[in-house]
């Protein structure tokens, strides 16, 4: 019998009780999945099974049928012929580990069960806690490790992945995201072939502009949206990462994920603990879509800050006026947006700098005092104006950065990331520099930027937190010579500390993570941010691809999607306002343009679309997403549906991406409805005559099996249908 030990001190942390786990088979269960570990004391910790949920009574069958039976956290040394998760140099120079299970505990938390297995080296006082947090309200298991030792001198961590998972060989495919500025989150799918597949990042500051630290592993051949077994994995880290899939031999693919250890050896003092970032795993039998919905649910339930709060509709000033902000045009935009039904106005870049004014993008970052030429009465006057016009107010900052032309840099030249011995290479504007966030003084400074804005403007509602430069100069004035290799890691641990301080003091402040567009769509930061800017590319056609890819891992409530001007500023494409709205409405809707340039008809459409979005906002932002027709499918069409968790309501979107004579138009089937219920259909954002199905009722079964014929007209036609169960 398990002895339950009550630890009242932990109750305040949300932990209810902790008890030692005696069984050698540890079932790590979510509602519909199980990870089975074998934890014999004195032996290697092994993974036996990961898949659909099993119970204790099934364990014997798992072993009888043939278990995965691989080390759960492979370490270099004993068994050094394979890829490993952990590799160290001990204080005496020995480079091997030989880890054995010492014991394990299980702790019940409010929404999860935390299982910790302690491994100890057979020779050295070196310990690893392998942790598994299994959620009760989503099918996600987070795994990470806590590494520590009591050797006489420092131990050097050379590789320190968060987790490992063996995957049985078969027709296994991986899907992952890559891209670049303005084309983030492009989807790629490929079968796993023999050899090592590596997805990694070396940017230093942002980590999702090119590849993403997430992956879907489809076990039953070519990935499908709603069919087949899929393992999803997301590394929750904002710095350099490395995902590896090693395919060798005939039995297994070996999947590793963690901080990218390149140029990042970490000195661990005796008694110091190093915690690796969480690797979130999910398993679904409902294809990619099932894995995505599990991630979305997990995100809304805690991995995204305030994940269950409904997001406001905002207007951001960037594409409307760029750096030319002033009191008059800001007020004008607030007034015009408010008249359209908007809720929040955000002043972007260009509002700051005293000695060096931010007139171009080559100066002033770090000097977060108002440019009184542009804004004579400062930010408080804008907050007041927003109140007058009935909108909330938000502001842009880029607090981890400076310019060589700034008072901050003049005062603190040693605060930048750069080897003390060299001249820095500059980024944007030929003068941008990254601040050394590993330095506690810089951390205090960044906290102070937000704190000062909040003290001065207690009703400031929203901050857009940007980050527009990679670490282009490796080196720290702050870190000692023997710790220079900590920079990539300590930068992000420092950033986390700052964000924790901000969140402790300002839990209600809404924050957006931005990094030259979608460079910070990462679960490493989402616990501190409500949302991220999906891309600087606001072209509605390309956004279909970018948003589709991003939605593999991120929920709609976190995806900032803005309607911008036509022709589009990034691609020059002309797209009707309706299509632009219909594309932006699948996430957190916003606008990124000058409202006064719209004609009366456009204003009227916008007013109605905003009112409509307010009605469907709960389903879009908190519902389950079903991707149906992929924009990557070359059909020229794209469709998806958002369904309320109880399936009482849904919103369906269909887009026509190209136009040819005699083009085949599919019949649009739906997904994610209750087959047994009847749904009444209303077309939203309608510009033409009502279709035959308008106001009519269809069963969920019919809509999922047969779907509807939609007359889609020419290029960039779109339809939005609201389905309400009767
Ligand atoms: C980055 C962001 C943009 C905008 C500009 C301002 O590029 O992605 O949205 O805020 O900076 O300089």
């Amino acid at each position: 019998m398990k002895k339950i030990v009550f630890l009242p001190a932990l109750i305040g942390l949300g932990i209810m009780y902790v008890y030692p786990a005696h069984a050698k088979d540890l079932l790590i269960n979510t509602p519909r999945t199980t990870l089975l570990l074998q934890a014999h004391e004195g032996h290697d910790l092994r993974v036996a099974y990961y898949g659909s949920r099993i119970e204790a009574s099934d364990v014997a069958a798992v072993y009888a049928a043939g278990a995965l039976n691989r080390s759960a956290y492979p370490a270099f040394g004993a068994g050094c012929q394979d890829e490993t998760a952990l590799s160290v140099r001990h204080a005496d120079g020995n480079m091997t580990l030989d880890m054995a299970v010492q014991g394990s505990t299980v702790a019940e938390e409010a929404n999860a069960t935390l299982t910790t297995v302690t491994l100890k080296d057979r020779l050295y006082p070196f310990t690893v806690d392998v942790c598994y947090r299994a959620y009760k309200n989503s099918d996600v298991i987070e795994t990470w490790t806590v590494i520590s030792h009591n050797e006489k001198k420092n131990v050097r961590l050379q590789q320190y992945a968060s987790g490992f998972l063996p995957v049985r060989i078969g027709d296994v495919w991986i899907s992952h995201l890559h891209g670049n500025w303005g084309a983030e989150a492009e989807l790629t799918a490929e079968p796993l072939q023999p050899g090592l597949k590596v997805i990694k990042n070396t940017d230093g500051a942002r980590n999702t502009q090119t590849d993403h630290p997430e992956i879907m592993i489809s076990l039953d051949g070519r990935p499908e949206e709603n069919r087949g077994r899929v393992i999803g994995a997301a590394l929750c880290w904002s710095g350099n990462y490395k995902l590896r899939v090693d395919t060798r031999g005939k039995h297994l693919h070996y999947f590793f994920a963690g901080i990218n250890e390149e140029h990042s050896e970490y000195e661990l003092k005796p008694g110091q603990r190093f915690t690796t970032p969480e690797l979130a795993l999910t398993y679904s039998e409902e294809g990619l879509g099932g894995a995505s919905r599990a991630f979305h649910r997990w995100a809304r339930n805690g991995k995204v800050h305030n994940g269950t709060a409904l997001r406001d509709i905002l207007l951001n000033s960037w594409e409307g006026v760029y750096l030319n902000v002033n009191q008059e045009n800001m007020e004008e935009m607030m007034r015009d947006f408010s008249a359209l039904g908007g809720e929040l106005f955000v002043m972007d870049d260009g509002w700051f700098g005293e000695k060096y004014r931010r007139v171009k993008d080559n100066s002033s970052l770090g000097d977060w005092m108002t440019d009184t030429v542009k804004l004579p009465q400062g930010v408080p006057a804008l907050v007041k104006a927003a109140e007058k016009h009935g909108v909330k107010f938000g502001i842009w900052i880029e607090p981890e950065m400076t310019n060589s032309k700034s008072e901050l840099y003049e005062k603190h030249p040693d605060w930048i990331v750069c080897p003390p011995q060299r001249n820095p290479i500059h980024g944007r504007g030929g003068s941008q520099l990254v601040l050394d966030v590993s330095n506690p003084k810089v951390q205090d400074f960044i906290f102070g930027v937000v704190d000062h804005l909040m003290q001065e403007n207690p009703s400031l509602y929203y901050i857009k937190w940007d980050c527009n430069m990679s670490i282009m100069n490796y080196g720290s004035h702050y870190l000692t010579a023997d710790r220079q290799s900590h920079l990539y890691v300590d930068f992000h641990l420092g950033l986390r500390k700052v964000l924790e301080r901000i969140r402790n003091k300002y839990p209600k402040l809404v924050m957006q993570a931005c990094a030259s567009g979608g460079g910070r769509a990462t679960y490493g930061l989402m616990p501190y941010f409500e949302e991220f800017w999906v891309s600087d590319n606001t072209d509605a056609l390309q956004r279909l691809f970018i948003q589709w890819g991003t939605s593999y891992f991120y929920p709609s409530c976190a995806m900032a999607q803005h309607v911008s001007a036509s022709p589009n500023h990034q691609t020059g494409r002309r797209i009707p306002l309706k299509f632009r709205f219909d594309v932006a409405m699948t996430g957190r809707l916003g606008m990124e343009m000058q409202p006064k340039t719209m004609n009366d008809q456009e204003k009227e459409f916008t007013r109605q679309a905003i009112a409509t979005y307010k009605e469907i906002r709960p389903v879009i932002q908190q519902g389950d997403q079903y991707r149906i027709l992929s924009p990557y499918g070359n059909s020229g069409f794209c469709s998806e549906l958002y369904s309320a968790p109880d399936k009482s309501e849904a919103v369906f979107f269909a887009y026509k991406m190209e136009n040819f004579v005699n083009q085949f138009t599919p019949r649009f089937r739906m997904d994610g409805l209750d087959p047994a219920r009847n749904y009444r259909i209303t077309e939203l954002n309608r510009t033409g005559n009502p279709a035959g199905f308008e106001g009519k009722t269809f069963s969920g079964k019919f809509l999922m099996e047969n779907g509807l014929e939609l007359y889609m007209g020419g290029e960039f036609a779109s339809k939005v249908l609201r389905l309400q169960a009767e």
Side-chain angles (χ1 to χ4, degrees):
M1 231 189 75
K2 286 182 189 120
K3 192 172 157 225
I4 295 177
V5 184
F6 286 93
L7 295 178
L10 296 176
I11 290 173
L13 300 173
I15 296 175
M16 281 140 68
Y17 56 86
V18 176
Y19 53 84
H22 294 305
K24 64 181 195 302
D25 293 307
L26 299 176
L27 284 156
I28 317 284
N29 282 332
T30 70
R32 294 190 299 175
T33 72
T34 297
L35 176 72
L36 174 63
L37 300 170
Q38 209 176 23
H40 285 287
E41 274 177 33
H43 293 261
D44 190 22
L45 173 67
R46 296 184 93 74
V47 188
Y49 168 90
Y50 183 45
S52 58
R53 178 156 170 152
I54 56 169
E55 306 301 329
S57 53
D58 301 314
V59 169
V62 169
Y63 291 119
L68 289 168
N69 194 23
R70 278 294 175 285
S71 184
Y73 194 61
F76 182 81
C80 53
Q81 75 279 22
D82 293 321
E83 286 283 317
T84 51
L86 177 68
S87 159
V88 308
R89 183 188 289 272
H90 294 283
D92 65 2
N94 180 321
M95 286 178 57
T96 65
L97 285 167
D98 184 11
M99 308 299 293
V101 174
Q102 196 183 34
S104 55
T105 58
V106 177
E108 291 302 329
E109 303 179 346
N111 288 317
T113 305
L114 174 64
T115 305
T116 305
V117 183
T118 300
L119 311 180
K120 214 190 137 302
D121 189 87
R122 287 191 165 88
L123 197 59
Y124 288 86
F126 183 94
T127 307
V128 177
D129 285 336
V130 188
C131 308
Y132 299 90
R133 174 173 285 129
Y135 283 86
K136 293 174 185 164
N137 49 11
S138 66
D139 286 306
V140 170
I141 297 169
E142 293 167 2
T143 180
W144 71 94
T145 53
V146 184
I147 305 167
S148 62
H149 72 91
N150 275 312
E151 299 188 17
K152 295 221 165 60
K153 287 197 224 140
N154 293 352
V155 170
R156 216 167 162 77
L157 305 183
Q158 295 177 316
Q159 183 182 49
Y160 37 94
S162 292
F164 163 72
L165 193 70
V167 176
R168 193 165 291 285
I169 271 187
D171 187 8
V172 176
W173 287 56
I174 54 169
S175 309
H176 52 104
L177 308 176
H178 69 107
N180 217 321
W181 177 86
E184 296 89 342
E186 278 182 18
L187 190 57
T188 185
E190 58 194 290
L192 282 174
Q193 302 286 359
L196 186 62
K197 173 76 193 176
V198 178
I199 299 168
K200 68 173 191 177
N201 178 61
T202 51
D203 182 287
R206 319 73 63 94
N207 73 356
T208 60
Q209 190 179 62
T210 52
D211 296 295
H212 263 243
E214 298 114 18
I215 192 171
M216 293 284 191
I217 307 174
S218 297
L219 308 182
D220 297 313
R222 196 175 276 279
E224 287 190 58
E225 268 306 326
N226 295 314
R227 267 202 332 203
R229 297 168 304 150
V230 174
I231 293 170
L235 184 74
C236 309
W237 179 241
S238 53
N240 292 347
Y241 56 80
K242 192 184 266 183
L243 310 187
R244 285 172 286 158
V245 191
D246 187 24
T247 301
R248 267 189 293 150
K250 294 274 175 277
H251 302 293
L252 295 167
H253 306 282
Y254 300 84
F255 171 62
F256 299 84
I259 291 176
N260 185 348
E261 74 287 354
E262 291 167 23
H263 318 294
S264 295
E265 286 190 0
Y266 211 89
E267 289 277 330
L268 205 60
K269 293 184 212 150
Q272 192 186 347
R273 289 155 68 85
F274 186 89
T275 303
T276 61
E278 305 95 314
L279 168 66
L281 296 168
T282 191
Y283 171 84
S284 166
E285 304 205 330
E286 292 168 21
L288 298 163
S292 295
R293 287 186 288 280
F295 279 131
H296 297 172
R297 217 164 290 138
W298 161 75
R300 289 194 301 265
N301 285 326
K303 214 59 188 179
V304 166
H305 190 68
N306 279 333
T308 52
L310 292 181
R311 274 63 170 144
D312 288 308
I313 305 165
L314 68 81
L315 171 67
N316 182 288
S317 66
W318 181 240
E319 287 195 25
V321 298
Y322 290 103
L323 293 166
N324 307 319
V325 303
N326 61 47
Q327 182 74 29
E328 213 175 34
N329 62 18
M330 292 296 95
E331 273 217 50
E332 191 178 45
M333 286 173 105
M334 292 174 194
R335 191 197 53 219
D336 292 350
F337 190 51
S338 178
L340 296 168
E343 298 165 321
L344 163 65
F345 175 74
V346 181
M347 175 172 65
D348 208 284
D349 196 353
W351 61 269
F352 51 92
E354 237 171 35
K355 179 174 167 191
Y356 303 106
R357 297 177 49 227
R358 181 81 167 169
V359 243
K360 284 209 240 149
D361 67 357
N362 63 357
S363 74
S364 324
L365 294 172
D367 300 350
W368 302 106
M369 48 291 232
T370 327
D371 174 347
T372 45
V373 178
K374 293 179 185 174
L375 300 162
Q377 292 128 37
V379 177
L382 291 167
V383 176
K384 227 166 137 196
E387 268 161 28
K388 187 175 101 196
H389 294 296
V391 286
K392 295 163 184 161
F393 184 74
I395 199 164
W396 178 96
I397 52 173
E398 196 181 356
E400 297 147 85
M401 301 286 159
T402 189
N403 288 103
S404 49
K405 214 165 128 192
S406 73
E407 291 185 65
L408 183 74
Y409 183 59
E410 284 174 351
K411 223 155 113 200
H412 300 288
D414 58 332
W415 277 12
I416 61 158
V417 171
C418 187
Q421 305 81 352
R422 294 188 192 276
N423 291 326
I425 297 166
H426 295 94
R428 186 180 184 189
S431 66
Q432 187 155 340
L433 295 162
V434 181
L435 292 177
D436 182 356
V437 189
S438 74
N439 182 343
K441 287 199 179 122
V442 172
Q443 293 165 20
D444 287 344
F445 167 77
I446 297 175
F447 174 77
V449 173
V450 174
D451 198 37
H452 171 75
L453 277 168
M454 292 302 290
Q455 297 289 332
E456 186 193 50
N457 309 285
S459 60
L460 182 68
Y461 186 78
Y462 177 105
I463 281 181
K464 173 175 174 179
W465 181 307
D466 215 333
C467 172
N468 289 318
M469 189 177 165
S470 322
I471 290 184
M472 289 163 73
N473 308 282
Y474 191 93
S476 167
H477 293 254
Y478 167 72
L479 294 168
T480 51
D482 57 336
R483 273 155 210 265
Q484 287 292 307
S485 62
H486 289 204
L487 179 61
Y488 282 144
V489 173
D490 284 357
F491 182 99
H492 289 275
L493 294 179
L495 178 60
R496 221 180 244 194
K497 267 193 202 152
V498 175
L499 290 165
E500 253 150 38
R501 269 172 87 185
I502 292 172
R503 277 320 185 187
N504 281 338
K505 193 158 178 193
Y506 303 110
K508 289 198 185 133
L509 172 68
V510 178
M511 294 210 292
Q512 179 189 81
C514 174
S516 313
R520 275 189 168 170
T522 168
Y523 280 119
L525 292 177
M526 289 324 290
Y528 311 104
F529 290 87
E530 270 78 357
E531 60 175 39
F532 54 84
W533 183 220
V534 174
S535 176
D536 271 350
N537 187 343
T538 54
D539 172 287
L541 179 63
Q542 196 160 356
R543 270 290 182 128
L544 281 178
F545 293 89
I546 299 172
Q547 292 168 189
W548 187 271
T550 308
S551 81
Y552 266 43
F553 303 98
Y554 291 91
S556 51
C557 67
M559 290 169 56
Q561 305 186 169
H562 296 179
V563 174
S564 63
S566 178
N568 178 267
H569 291 196
Q570 292 78 39
T571 62
R573 210 185 322 268
R574 289 172 193 274
I575 291 186
L577 187 63
K578 170 174 163 55
F579 191 93
R580 284 180 270 148
F581 260 100
D582 290 355
V583 170
M585 275 167 85
T586 59
R588 195 277 288 136
L589 175 68
M591 295 183 77
E592 182 98 12
M593 59 191 288
Q594 182 48 284
K596 73 174 176 191
T597 59
M598 292 194 288
N599 63 31
D600 287 348
Q601 203 187 346
E602 288 171 326
K603 280 191 186 147
E604 181 51 24
F605 179 86
T606 301
R607 207 182 52 70
Q608 279 186 23
I610 286 177
T612 298
Y613 183 79
K614 287 177 186 167
E615 277 184 43
I616 58 172
R617 171 161 46 192
V619 178
I620 302 290
Q621 294 186 1
Q622 294 293 313
D624 287 322
Q625 181 182 7
Y626 290 80
R627 292 179 300 260
I628 306 168
L629 261 184
S630 169
Y632 288 87
N634 293 327
S635 68
F637 293 89
C638 170
S639 70
E640 56 181 319
L641 179 141
Y642 295 79
S643 175
D646 65 359
K647 299 197 189 299
S648 60
E649 189 175 349
V651 185
F652 172 80
F653 294 84
Y655 309 97
K656 185 173 185 188
M657 301 158 67
E658 58 190 24
N659 192 36
F660 294 101
V661 172
N662 204 21
Q663 183 179 4
F664 163 75
T665 303
R667 193 170 162 115
F668 290 89
R669 289 199 292 158
M670 307 198 183
D671 209 341
L673 301 173
D674 180 346
R677 282 167 103 162
N678 291 323
Y679 294 89
R680 180 176 299 282
I681 297 186
T682 317
E683 184 176 348
L684 306 176
N685 291 351
R686 180 161 62 77
T687 46
N689 293 327
F693 51 72
E694 181 72 24
K696 304 248 160 55
T697 299
F698 301 83
S699 72
K701 183 170 186 293
F702 182 88
L703 292 170
M704 291 196 285
E705 288 175 358
N706 298 286
L708 298 175
E709 300 281 353
L710 301 181
Y711 173 69
M712 296 291 278
E715 191 175 41
F716 306 134
S718 50
K719 294 273 180 213
V720 185
L721 307 181
R722 184 178 197 182
L723 292 86
Q724 288 166 294
E726 304 242 283

